[in-house]
Amino acid sequence: MTTSRTDHPRTPSSSGAKKATLGAQVGLFIDMFDVYLPIIALAPAAMYFQPEGLSEGEGRLLTSAVFAATLLGRPLGALIFGHISDRRGRRRTTILSLVGFGLCTLAIGFLPGHQAVGMLGIILLIVLRFLDGIFLGGQYTAATPLALEHSPKSRRGFNGALIMTGFPLAYCAIALLTFGLLLVIPSGTLESPYTQWGWRIPFVIGGAMALAWAFWYSRHVEESDAWIANKPQEGDSSPVAELFRGDNLRGFLQVFVLMSGIWLAFNMIGAILPTTLRAQGGLSDTRATMVLVIAYATLVPAYLVAGSLGQRFGRRRFFLVQGPLTAVLAPFLYWLIASGRLDSLAAITLTTVALVVVVVSVYSVASTYIIERFHVGVRSSGYGLGYTTAVILPAFYATYLAGLESWIPYEFTPLVLISLGGLLVLVGAAIGPETKHVDLGATHSARQDDAKLLAGSMVGLPYGEEPGTPRGRSAPQDRP
């Protein structure tokens, strides 16, 4: 029997919440594993898809096009699958996206190279990575909201952080897998085994994991009660149309500012720091890779600590502290590495770990915050688009760094963008509300009240005040 729109959803069960959280965490792990495949696993075999005699600059351009195709696909995927998730359900959207990017990743693992089909090989690679990005953009857009809608309020901060550990775990896994393969499968020339077939192994593994997890997810994870209780009816407006008007639009713009700062600072860590470790830090490729693996492995417990802090003190308060830390402390840590003042591997490793934790641990709280920021009718669309569209302006970081080079030495230009990113996080948090008390499983009428208070606020709520609680009255205790 279909649940009425006004029926109160069931209290989230511990078993259902655990399965949904595990489903989202492993799904994100597989998602990020596939994202890093062309950057890490395919990089030593890039010549397989490139014509002979290609200059270094042209090679970098083709490599960046492969990665950019995925980035461009993700916002489109968030748009498409966010709509499907809000209209048709989180569970089926997650399964569809897992199957989609699993098949795309498998197909890439069997592509012919330039020797066999010429430029068609790289064209097929770019097209498949674009399709991959669309499906990848759908996975977290549906699975993470479903998991948090299953979670009790008192566990949402920790569960959201637990889901996000899929990112650093995936980075470590693909880096270590590629490192191990290169130790036993020779690379370096067009005819070497790794270039011809070794690179395919991680792609086959990534595709197989996605398809296997889609099967597991379909057997063990139930649809969100919050979505069922507020299931769209005939005549309801499109979730995307509702998101981009009125109070919801104001809420989206606030999230856009916050996430733009997060992405801008992260790009300096994810894209520029590896080169800085090699150039200014004086590390070999192997040592730089191992330092980054250690730093990203440290992110796993750091994420859980950050998520717990956000649950204890509030998401907004966490950002109001983390933003200034990114704006002030992170540039100093980066400067220590870029200036070459660290003269030992241990010092470089410790500084890199501290830098990565300060800048990147914010993701463990941001994901939960954005999901809580939007009511159930537009939640997947708001989360997916708020998370991915904010990538666009920070994606032009190379242009910004080139412009700053006329003012300061190039190796120090990332300091400016890291600091600016922290300031944007501070501003984004300051103009937004606290969200940890929002009831994600409210009935339709209660949902509308929370939606108005949240989406309409551009100046935030007082610390510790629950949306809907009269001023001067303490918020009620969280109920499991």
Side-chain angles (χ1 to χ4, degrees):
M1 183 176 68
T2 303
T3 304
S4 168
R5 188 169 187 162
T6 57
D7 289 343
H8 198 286
R10 298 185 304 271
T11 299
S13 70
S14 174
S15 175
K18 288 180 179 178
K19 289 179 179 178
T21 300
L22 178 63
Q25 181 192 26
V26 177
L28 183 63
F29 171 88
I30 300 170
D31 177 318
M32 298 308 302
F33 186 95
D34 284 13
V35 165
Y36 278 109
L37 282 173
I39 303 172
I40 299 176
L42 187 57
M47 64 185 77
Y48 179 76
F49 289 100
Q50 298 174 358
E52 293 185 28
L54 204 66
S55 70
E56 184 179 349
E58 291 170 332
R60 285 197 301 266
L61 182 61
L62 282 179
T63 301
S64 65
V66 174
F67 182 60
T70 309
L71 292 180
L72 291 173
R74 288 171 80 88
L76 181 58
L79 177 66
I80 295 171
F81 287 102
H83 174 86
I84 297 174
S85 177
D86 286 328
R87 295 289 291 184
R88 304 299 179 186
R90 325 296 196 206
R91 179 178 174 274
R92 69 175 65 183
T93 305
T94 301
I95 296 169
L96 176 61
S97 62
L98 282 167
V99 172
F101 74 71
L103 292 175
C104 287
T105 302
L106 276 178
I108 292 173
F110 293 96
L111 281 179
H114 189 273
Q115 284 181 310
V117 295
M119 290 300 293
L120 179 61
I122 190 72
I123 292 173
L124 289 174
L125 175 61
I126 292 173
V127 170
L128 283 172
R129 285 301 294 180
F130 178 72
L131 294 175
D132 220 0
I134 292 176
F135 285 108
L136 289 168
Q139 189 280 137
Y140 60 82
T141 294
T144 307
L146 186 152
L148 294 191
E149 287 170 350
H150 271 290
S151 298
K153 290 181 185 180
S154 60
R155 293 279 300 178
R156 280 204 306 251
F158 183 83
N159 286 349
L162 186 62
I163 291 168
M164 291 304 291
T165 61
F167 158 55
L169 289 172
Y171 179 93
C172 294
I174 188 62
L176 292 174
L177 175 61
T178 303
F179 182 73
L181 288 173
L182 289 171
L183 288 178
V184 298
I185 304 176
S187 65
T189 67
L190 183 59
E191 301 302 327
S192 63
Y194 188 87
T195 304
Q196 289 297 315
W197 58 267
W199 65 270
R200 303 178 191 274
I201 296 175
F203 280 85
V204 172
I205 291 174
M209 284 196 302
L211 295 176
W213 199 245
F215 177 76
W216 181 92
Y217 200 93
S218 67
R219 296 285 299 272
H220 295 283
V221 179
E222 298 179 354
E223 182 55 80
S224 155
D225 285 332
W227 181 83
I228 294 174
N230 295 275
K231 190 174 181 179
Q233 305 296 307
E234 289 295 330
D236 283 359
S237 60
S238 163
V240 176
E242 187 178 346
L243 177 65
F244 288 108
R245 67 187 180 201
D247 290 338
N248 284 325
L249 176 59
R250 297 177 65 192
F252 177 84
L253 293 175
Q254 179 256 322
V255 167
F256 184 86
V257 173
L258 177 76
M259 285 305 304
S260 292
I262 292 174
W263 281 113
L264 186 62
F266 172 74
N267 282 346
M268 300 303 99
I269 305 303
I272 306 300
L273 180 60
T275 302
T276 302
L277 288 171
R278 296 179 180 94
Q280 277 70 45
L283 301 184
S284 64
D285 288 346
T286 301
R287 286 191 168 186
T289 298
M290 295 312 298
V291 166
L292 288 171
V293 167
I294 292 171
Y296 278 85
T298 307
L299 269 180
V300 176
Y303 270 17
L304 299 180
V305 171
S308 299
L309 290 173
Q311 183 66 45
R312 174 67 178 84
F313 298 105
R315 331 288 188 222
R316 181 175 183 264
R317 183 173 292 180
F318 177 88
F319 296 136
L320 290 173
V321 174
Q322 196 274 342
L325 282 177
T326 297
V328 178
L329 178 58
F332 172 71
L333 294 172
Y334 197 104
W335 174 81
L336 289 175
I337 300 171
S339 63
R341 292 175 178 268
L342 303 175
D343 55 4
S344 70
L345 180 60
I348 294 174
T349 301
L350 289 173
T351 304
T352 302
V353 168
L355 175 62
V356 170
V357 167
V358 168
V359 174
V360 188
S361 61
V362 66
Y363 281 99
S364 63
V365 180
S367 181
T368 303
Y369 179 79
I370 301 173
I371 289 169
E372 293 171 335
R373 192 68 175 86
F374 297 100
H375 68 75
V376 67
V378 298
R379 183 166 294 140
S380 280
S381 298
Y383 172 55
L385 290 172
Y387 196 90
T388 58
T389 57
V391 174
I392 296 174
L393 292 177
F396 294 96
Y397 65 86
T399 303
Y400 310 146
L401 295 178
L404 290 169
E405 190 177 9
S406 61
W407 299 89
I408 56 177
Y410 183 80
E411 61 268 24
F412 298 126
T413 54
L415 277 64
V416 178
L417 298 192
I418 292 174
S419 185
L420 178 59
L423 291 175
L424 287 174
V425 170
L426 178 62
V427 171
I431 62 175
E434 179 54 65
T435 62
K436 76 170 188 172
H437 292 296
V438 172
D439 187 357
L440 298 185
T443 58
H444 181 60
S445 59
R447 182 201 73 182
Q448 295 284 45
D449 293 339
D450 269 352
K452 185 176 181 180
L453 282 164
L454 282 175
S457 173
M458 289 291 282
V459 296
L461 298 171
Y463 290 142
E465 185 169 311
E466 177 176 354
T469 301
R471 293 182 184 274
R473 185 181 303 172
S474 60
Q477 296 295 316
D478 289 350
R479 295 181 298 274

